[in-house]
Amino acid sequence: MTAKAVPPKRRDWSLRSRAVRAVLYQLLALGLIALAVWFLAHNTLENMRVRGIQSGFDFLTQPAGFDIGERPVPYEALDAYWRAFLIGVLNTLRVAIVGIVLTTILGTLLGIGRFSRNALVRGLCYAYVEVFRNVPVLLQLLMWYLLLVEALPLPAEPISLFKLFYLSNGGISYPVPVWGLGQALAGAGALLGLLLGWLWARRARRLFEQTGQPRPVLLPAVGLLVAGALLGWLVGGAPTDWNVPQPGGFSIEGGSALTPEFLAVLLGLTLYTSSFVAEVVRAGIASVPHGQGEAAGALGLSKGQQMRLVTLPQALRVIIPPMTNQYLNLTKNSSLAVAIGYPDVVSIANTAINQTGRAVECIAVIMAVYLTTSLGTSALMNWYNKRAAIKER
């Protein structure tokens, strides 16, 4: 007997439909929010006009008229305000990205160290977490800045390492290659090696799932990275020209340098946030049933392999969501760098406010920058969280 075809369900567009009412309520809420924002903006601009206060973002195209100590891209004092804000945004991203990488590495090592069989290692990791997470981050920034500026020698008598690296209260100076075709090809080769290393890691994981036999991942990936960079360097003519720093009378000339302001911000944010990341990692590892480690040991896996192949992949579903919060906190806490003179976006905005009086506009730029970076970080971590989630059959 042939079953009758089920007629397609007709969508109910009347107000009796719960779905339709939910959409209408959301549209109504968005309309009310937009109306409130428009009213506040219009009222603010009108009050500023009545009091003779200039408003608008036209000042962004005017010459800034001030210099910036740290410039990731070329900048002159006569450049427009928008370029000064660009410098501030790049400096903020520079601290945030490097800080997130270092925080992840240090926090993960500390979290794993809390499960070490060595009592001294466990105690040191515990002491680190308790000390750094209970001292306000602003005090840590000031402490590192004063330490770098007051305790280190003057640039005329720096601490030298192999006459290549110099440490003084002006920062860390180090040699950099003279940029040319060879360096560009070396960088391209390194990127190619990184891609090949990632493909090898995926293949090694797939082979492990099929056969149960672990394959080395770290050493082959590093080998491919180095081989790609070396091959590109050789193809580019194997250039050997370096810009080496040399101590001068009042400063260290040549090479490149990391300023004490950047180092203080990076150290303070990294050490502070890594103490919270360590607790996140510890909680994630503790959430994995103990039997998983015992089963991995019964298969002949070492302690390191158990942690890397069994425990951490299962702990990621607990680690990633709170880890995202710590990344956001690190990025937003970078605004405290204004206290030690690091030219981030907040510092540039403060200078622009003092010179133009456009407080509302400059604050709006700061809000837009941090909102964009926070939403971008959240979107990236949410994507990674979906990839790392355990797929149930």
Side-chain angles (χ1 to χ4, degrees), residues 14 28 121 128 136-137 184 219 280 287 322 346:
S14 66
L28 179 61
V121 173
Y128 175 95
V137 62
L219 289 180
V280 171
S287 69
V346 177

Side-chain angles (χ1 to χ4, degrees), residues 214-353:
R215 300 293 197 283
V217 175
L218 181 60
L219 289 180
V222 173
L224 290 170
L225 176 65
V226 173
L230 182 60
L231 180 61
W233 177 70
L234 292 175
V235 172
T240 58
D241 294 333
W242 286 77
N243 187 1
V244 180
Q246 296 293 335
F250 300 97
S251 63
I252 299 177
E253 305 294 338
S256 187
L258 301 176
T259 64
E261 291 81 10
F262 172 77
L263 292 174
V265 174
L266 184 62
L267 284 172
L269 293 179
T270 298
L271 297 178
Y272 176 76
T273 312
S274 61
S275 62
F276 291 90
V277 171
E279 285 297 279
V280 171
V281 174
R282 183 195 61 81
I285 294 175
S287 69
V288 179
H290 187 66
Q292 295 290 318
E294 294 178 344
L299 293 175
L301 298 181
S302 64
K303 288 293 182 181
Q305 291 174 333
Q306 292 177 31
M307 181 63 68
R308 180 169 57 88
L309 300 174
V310 178
T311 305
L312 280 180
Q314 296 185 69
L316 283 178
R317 57 180 177 178
V318 178
I319 292 174
I320 293 176
M323 186 83 84
T324 304
N325 292 334
Q326 298 307 320
Y327 291 164
L328 297 178
N329 289 338
L330 186 147
T331 303
K332 290 180 287 188
N333 285 337
S334 66
S335 61
L336 298 174
V338 67
I340 59 175
Y342 180 71
D344 68 332
V345 67
V346 177
S347 177
I348 301 299
N350 287 340
T351 305
I353 290 173

Side-chain angles (χ1 to χ4, degrees), residues 27-37:
L27 293 176
L28 179 61
L30 288 176
L32 292 175
I33 293 173
L35 180 63
V37 171

Side-chain angles (χ1 to χ4, degrees), residues 30-341:
L30 288 176
L32 292 175
I33 293 173
L35 180 63
V37 171
W38 173 85
F39 174 77
L40 292 175
H42 176 74
N43 198 27
T44 300
L45 294 176
E46 185 64 22
N47 289 333
M48 293 173 64
R49 186 189 63 80
V50 171
R51 290 167 174 78
I53 301 176
Q54 293 183 343
S55 61
F57 291 92
D58 57 306
F59 76 98
L60 292 175
T61 59
Q62 300 173 3
F66 60 89
D67 199 9
I68 301 176
E70 299 193 37
R71 303 181 292 269
V73 296
Y75 170 81
E76 300 293 339
L78 296 179
D79 287 340
Y81 275 101
W82 69 264
R83 194 167 184 85
F85 274 103
L86 175 62
I87 299 294
V89 172
L90 293 178
N91 283 335
T92 298
L93 293 177
R94 180 187 176 199
V95 168
I97 294 174
V98 177
I100 285 174
V101 173
L102 296 180
T103 294
T104 303
I105 296 173
L106 180 58
T108 302
L109 293 177
L110 290 169
I112 295 175
R114 295 289 300 274
F115 295 91
S116 174
R117 293 181 177 181
N118 190 309
L120 179 60
V121 173
R122 291 198 310 271
L124 290 176
C125 293
Y126 176 77
Y128 175 95
V129 170
E130 293 302 321
V131 169
F132 282 96
R133 75 172 178 175
N134 288 303
V135 178
V137 62
L138 180 58
L139 293 181
Q140 295 192 38
L141 296 182
L142 295 174
M143 178 194 70
W144 286 111
Y145 181 67
L146 293 175
L147 180 64
L148 291 170
V149 173
E150 299 294 337
L152 294 178
L154 296 174
E157 299 177 351
I159 300 174
S160 174
L161 181 62
F162 307 116
K163 294 185 178 181
L164 295 175
F165 302 89
Y166 296 94
L167 178 63
S168 67
N169 60 5
I172 300 177
S173 299
Y174 55 92
V176 292
V178 178
W179 189 258
L181 178 61
Q183 286 76 14
L185 292 179
L191 291 177
L192 178 60
L194 186 64
L195 176 61
L196 294 177
W198 175 71
L199 294 175
W200 166 251
R202 291 192 59 181
R203 175 176 172 78
R205 188 182 304 112
R206 188 162 52 248
L207 292 175
F208 174 74
E209 293 174 352
Q210 294 174 354
T211 64
Q213 296 294 328
R215 300 293 197 283
V217 175
L218 181 60
L219 289 180
V222 173
L224 290 170
L225 176 65
V226 173
L230 182 60
L231 180 61
W233 177 70
L234 292 175
V235 172
T240 58
D241 294 333
W242 286 77
N243 187 1
V244 180
Q246 296 293 335
F250 300 97
S251 63
I252 299 177
E253 305 294 338
S256 187
L258 301 176
T259 64
E261 291 81 10
F262 172 77
L263 292 174
V265 174
L266 184 62
L267 284 172
L269 293 179
T270 298
L271 297 178
Y272 176 76
T273 312
S274 61
S275 62
F276 291 90
V277 171
E279 285 297 279
V280 171
V281 174
R282 183 195 61 81
I285 294 175
S287 69
V288 179
H290 187 66
Q292 295 290 318
E294 294 178 344
L299 293 175
L301 298 181
S302 64
K303 288 293 182 181
Q305 291 174 333
Q306 292 177 31
M307 181 63 68
R308 180 169 57 88
L309 300 174
V310 178
T311 305
L312 280 180
Q314 296 185 69
L316 283 178
R317 57 180 177 178
V318 178
I319 292 174
I320 293 176
M323 186 83 84
T324 304
N325 292 334
Q326 298 307 320
Y327 291 164
L328 297 178
N329 289 338
L330 186 147
T331 303
K332 290 180 287 188
N333 285 337
S334 66
S335 61
L336 298 174
V338 67
I340 59 175

